[in-house]
Amino acid sequence: MQHHPEPDFDTDHSIPAVGNGAPPPASARHPTSSGALPAELVALTHTLALPLPVDRALGEALLHATRLLPIALCLRLFTPHDHAPRHLTQLWMCERAGTTPDAEPLLHELRETTTTLGYGTYVDQQVLDERQHVRQPRLLAQPLLSTRGGFLGALAIELSETVPPARYPDPTYLSVIQHVLAALLARRTQETTHARMESTLHAAVALASPAHRIESSLSDLADNAVAQARAEAETQVLRDANDALAAPAATFAVATLVPSAATQWRPIAGDLVGGGFTLSESQAAALHGWFRSHDALTLAGPDGDGLWQALAPLRATAAVPTERITLLPVRAGDRLAALFVVAHAAGPYADVEALALAGALAAVAGASIYAIRLAERTIAEMRGRDAFISLTAHELRTPLTSIKGYAQLLMRQARKHPLPESVVHSIEAIDQQSQRLAEMISELLDASRIHRGKLDVNVAPADIVPLARHAIERRQPFFPLHQFVLETSAVSVIALVEAPRVEQVIRDLLDNAARHTPSGDRITVTISQDQRMALVEVQDAGIGVDAADRERIFEYLYRAPRSEQRNLSGLGLGLFVSKYLIERMGGQLWLHTTSTEPPTGSDFHFTLPLA
């Protein structure tokens, strides 16, 4: 820790820069031969422990300091401005109501923004830039520094008259005043930094997970609009990140730039909106090469690659004298998507925590942009897959129609001209399997239309009891060893549905039950109703659904591991399409109960609105 000697105004007339971490000198504890401490000195030190907001504690400390210095006419306390580089906030002013030492001081909370201490260029340069005290006939001005030399604020003491050195305020009192104010300002800086970081971290959390909402919004767009929407989403992420970066940067000018060409960068947000720049090919290569293995690049003057000179447009647009520039890469995967640019103000200002946080924000923004680009790529791949499936399914329909037609023709001929039983069974198998293949192709087309948002459902009043009976009759030939049973206490149940789609859902649930149920077991379809909804239940005694699969069985192309292990047929589309259809008709489809332990089985339910 740096040691600052106590001031001795009688010899060198200096006021030291006092840090908040060092204890007050021993003379402050015993300033008089009698051992009595001045009441105002005690009250001043007690402000460090008062349960007050820190700004109010600073005001109280300034009030006690003014009372402690009889020849002080006015004390002014300045702090760095929260969001304006190279600006100050005059936080408190304490002035005497009169010019006599016993005049009661008056405390004023100002919070005025200024670019100067108000005592001329020389005082500003010495206190703000050089971090040195100033002693003038009627003024003492002092920078207040942290233990690490960071600039916390400034104290200006206006004296009531031209004071000879012998009558200057007791240096011990001045040292205690500086210690107390520096300690309170350090606490204020810490609280402010924590608040800024908290708001920035909230922004980082919002940035960290845009992919879910982005993917859903992109998937609703036409192909020619996806790229534009993706670019707009990336720009918004960068602007949000720039706002979060600017919040804690009290001593920075910040901007976010994106590449507009291989060697050109243009600003899209921040303080340096006019400060794009162009690099040579070698400079662009050097910049990209540096960021492959480094998380930041700080330039403080001309460099070998000429980057400092290339950044002249940025420095020219900065609202503050720029001492150095830090570039932080926003990486989307292995690509450089953007740059955070931090123009550091010249002088005593420093904000190391905010710069470290900027690096974290750059990483979060890069991950968000990568997620957006991955979502775009995923959507493109999904659409390409769906287009291929749709085209393939359509192409398969033509030869399948011919196969099924010839099979039916052979069946009619077999009725007129008896054929061997084995031949008849073969023809029936061809007819059944071609029908099954046609159903699978229809499922593929339905799933493709669902992903493209083009599967419509048109409802009308229909009786679902005969629909269920017809579905059972059509499935029985496919599973001759199973027992399909329809149970209903109502002769008819009229619901608002698309009749072929309801039959399709029941067919898929029966297929699903039969594939997972041992031969000979019973599969029951039960239909009931209440005042508003019809309820259809499909219950089996099959192998059941494992707990890990219960939330996923309605996903697109999902097949449970046990189905894979048993080589059970199915595309993983039936439940996905069925759930969509039921929901489009105003109902719900769910797995009501299941068990993988004896007695095993599953019970699927779906509801439909009554007409």
Side-chain angles (χ1 to χ4, degrees), residues 222-388:
D223 290 341
N224 58 357
V226 170
Q228 180 180 351
R230 185 263 307 156
E232 291 173 354
E234 289 185 11
T235 299
Q236 189 59 50
V237 165
L238 290 171
R239 285 175 176 161
D240 291 344
N242 191 92
D243 291 343
L245 173 60
T251 59
F252 294 159
V254 300
T256 300
L257 287 83
V258 295
S260 56
T263 59
Q264 296 179 344
W265 293 81
R266 62 179 178 84
I268 61 169
D271 304 315
L272 312 176
V273 292
F277 61 89
T278 301
L279 303 176
S280 67
E281 291 185 2
S282 61
Q283 289 171 337
L287 189 68
H288 283 265
W290 176 267
F291 286 139
R292 287 192 188 98
S293 55
H294 297 81
D295 293 326
L297 173 61
T298 297
L299 302 169
D303 59 293
D305 293 316
L307 290 175
W308 178 259
Q309 293 84 342
L311 297 178
L314 282 175
R315 303 199 310 275
T317 56
V320 298
T322 301
E323 185 175 75
R324 63 192 187 280
I325 286 180
T326 298
L327 305 178
L328 299 107
V330 179
R331 301 188 190 93
D334 59 354
R335 300 196 174 202
L336 188 58
L339 287 174
F340 285 163
V341 180
V342 178
H344 302 258
Y349 307 98
D351 206 336
V352 178
E353 296 89 349
L355 189 57
L357 197 58
L361 277 172
V364 172
S368 298
I369 291 174
Y370 182 73
I372 293 171
R373 294 181 179 181
L374 187 61
E376 180 190 28
R377 191 182 316 145
T378 300
I379 289 168
E381 292 173 353
M382 288 174 57
R383 290 183 175 181
R385 178 197 62 203
D386 291 341
F388 173 77

